[in-house]
Amino acid sequence: MDSPTARPPARELNIQDLELMMQWCTTTYRSVSRNSTVECIWQAVVPREAMRHPFLMHGILALSALHLAVTDNADIKDHYIRTSKDHRNQALLGLTKVSGKSKPSHCNATFTLSNILMIFSFALPEIMEPSPNRCVLDELHQVFQSTRESIDMLVNIIDSVGNGELRPLLQHDTSHPRMPDTSRLAIMSLARLNANLARQDAHHEKDLYDATIKQLGYSLDKVSQGGETMIVAFQWIFHVPSQYIELFRQREPFALVILAHYAVIIHSLRGHWWMGEWGARLIQEIGQCLDTNWRNSLSWVLDATGCYIPPV
């Protein structure tokens, strides 16, 4: 018989990981659940899936750590931000290893991690301490880029996810209060402005902007009709033309005007800790980039959000 001293030592529990999982199961899961009907999936089904897929577990721990970083204690905040980044990097590494595989067993974990990483992309800049050189437009460009990197992967698995246990996450909820349906007038105004710009400049990217405005119209319609704002906000990032993203990165005035209209959607998500004042900060920075004539095109945006753009 082996003596007790000959046995390998018991593996110690990782207290920090347990803390982060407790944070997920008691609090953070609610902040990624668009409504109460899917809370049980994020609270129970997703952690169970994470037990089989370490990359998803790292994603859960990353967002939980970032949630705990929402504090006025600078030392604690820095600690949890570092922890969240470490887990995020591990999640991305694991996701890279399975992204080229088409195993059905990976689909649910890949889909839920992609959702978590999209939320993480908005949350990290919101929680970081502001700096004099901070640029909201550049931060949003990074969010768009990182989010769109998962397009091909999600397209390949979406049918499998929609036929499985996570199906409710893909279903639209129309029980939310409707927004005032003034957005169609705003879209018509953008379309007229686009046509006018094309008449004034033969090099104006009218077709590109028409496609972008059309997608924005779909998104604002869904929100005004009670569609789930969180889904709408992320879908627009996937659906806009890639050339448009480059135009707003270059600070093209009309691209920024359209982006300010999109900011109305994310502003309506400001009650979520991971979104916060993204919308207001974005609208204000866009306003600072535009001259007086272009600012006149933001009247609906300011009315819809109550935001204020300080004079230049």
Side-chain angles (χ1 to χ4, degrees), residues 79-118:
H79 164 71
Y80 283 121
I81 287 176
R82 288 194 302 271
T83 301
S84 72
K85 288 180 177 179
D86 288 342
H87 282 296
R88 187 268 313 270
N89 292 340
Q90 289 297 315
L92 288 171
L93 181 62
L95 187 61
T96 300
K97 292 180 179 178
V98 303
S99 61
K101 302 175 182 179
S102 57
K103 292 183 179 179
S105 60
H106 293 149
C107 291
N108 286 349
T110 299
F111 174 77
T112 49
L113 177 60
S114 295
N115 281 266
I116 289 171
L117 290 176
M118 280 189 278

Side-chain angles (χ1 to χ4, degrees), residues 195-220:
N196 289 337
L197 291 170
R199 283 192 290 269
Q200 297 167 15
D201 180 4
H203 299 290
H204 179 71
E205 300 278 1
K206 182 180 184 298
D207 292 344
L208 173 66
Y209 283 124
D210 274 338
T212 305
I213 293 169
K214 186 177 181 180
Q215 289 297 335
L216 179 64
Y218 288 153
S219 297
L220 289 172

Side-chain angles (χ1 to χ4, degrees), residues 129-148:
E129 289 296 325
S131 65
N133 298 323
R134 184 172 186 177
C135 178
V136 183
L137 283 165
D138 288 343
E139 290 174 349
L140 187 65
H141 182 260
Q142 281 296 114
V143 171
F144 273 56
Q145 292 295 92
S146 60
T147 299
R148 287 170 66 92

Side-chain angles (χ1 to χ4, degrees), residues 11-272:
R11 182 180 179 185
E12 293 186 5
L13 294 173
N14 187 322
I15 299 300
Q16 179 171 266
D17 288 351
L18 289 177
E19 176 197 24
L20 298 180
M21 182 52 75
M22 180 66 72
Q23 169 69 17
W24 176 271
C25 291
T26 59
T27 305
T28 302
Y29 79 92
R30 290 194 186 97
S31 66
V32 301
S33 305
R34 66 177 189 268
N35 56 49
S36 59
T37 62
V38 298
E39 281 188 356
C40 61
I41 293 178
W42 287 105
Q43 185 183 29
V45 178
V46 172
R48 187 185 71 214
E49 196 72 24
M51 297 298 292
R52 297 193 290 266
H53 301 283
F55 63 90
L56 175 57
M57 180 63 75
H58 282 296
I60 286 175
L61 301 183
L63 195 61
S64 295
L66 208 52
H67 198 175
L68 286 169
V70 182
T71 173
D72 292 329
N73 187 313
D75 291 337
I76 293 177
K77 173 179 283 191
D78 289 344
H79 164 71
Y80 283 121
I81 287 176
R82 288 194 302 271
T83 301
S84 72
K85 288 180 177 179
D86 288 342
H87 282 296
R88 187 268 313 270
N89 292 340
Q90 289 297 315
L92 288 171
L93 181 62
L95 187 61
T96 300
K97 292 180 179 178
V98 303
S99 61
K101 302 175 182 179
S102 57
K103 292 183 179 179
S105 60
H106 293 149
C107 291
N108 286 349
T110 299
F111 174 77
T112 49
L113 177 60
S114 295
N115 281 266
I116 289 171
L117 290 176
M118 280 189 278
I119 292 172
F120 189 99
S121 295
F122 276 105
L124 184 58
E126 181 65 19
I127 291 172
M128 297 285 284
E129 289 296 325
S131 65
N133 298 323
R134 184 172 186 177
C135 178
V136 183
L137 283 165
D138 288 343
E139 290 174 349
L140 187 65
H141 182 260
Q142 281 296 114
V143 171
F144 273 56
Q145 292 295 92
S146 60
T147 299
R148 287 170 66 92
E149 287 174 0
S150 61
I151 290 179
D152 292 339
M153 178 175 55
L154 290 176
V155 167
N156 292 331
I157 66 174
I158 202 72
D159 288 341
S160 178
V161 173
N163 292 324
E165 196 172 13
L166 301 186
R167 181 179 180 180
L169 298 184
L170 295 172
Q171 295 174 332
H172 291 282
D173 177 21
T174 58
S175 63
H176 291 262
R178 294 169 178 249
M179 287 178 58
D181 194 11
T182 58
S183 61
R184 293 187 181 181
L185 296 176
I187 292 298
M188 290 171 61
S189 178
L190 288 175
R192 285 196 301 269
L193 179 55
N194 189 34
N196 289 337
L197 291 170
R199 283 192 290 269
Q200 297 167 15
D201 180 4
H203 299 290
H204 179 71
E205 300 278 1
K206 182 180 184 298
D207 292 344
L208 173 66
Y209 283 124
D210 274 338
T212 305
I213 293 169
K214 186 177 181 180
Q215 289 297 335
L216 179 64
Y218 288 153
S219 297
L220 289 172
D221 267 349
K222 287 179 182 177
V223 173
S224 67
Q225 292 169 14
E228 176 46 52
T229 309
M230 187 186 301
I231 293 178
V232 173
F234 292 152
Q235 284 181 336
W236 195 72
I237 297 176
F238 285 122
H239 291 157
V240 292
S242 58
Q243 301 97 311
Y244 166 75
I245 299 173
E246 178 60 20
L247 289 173
F248 91 65
R249 188 191 70 81
Q250 296 174 2
R251 310 299 194 264
E252 288 291 332
F254 191 46
L256 294 181
V257 168
I258 294 173
L259 191 64
H261 284 68
Y262 168 71
V264 174
I265 297 174
I266 61 176
H267 182 71
S268 67
L269 292 169
R270 63 192 179 279
H272 295 276

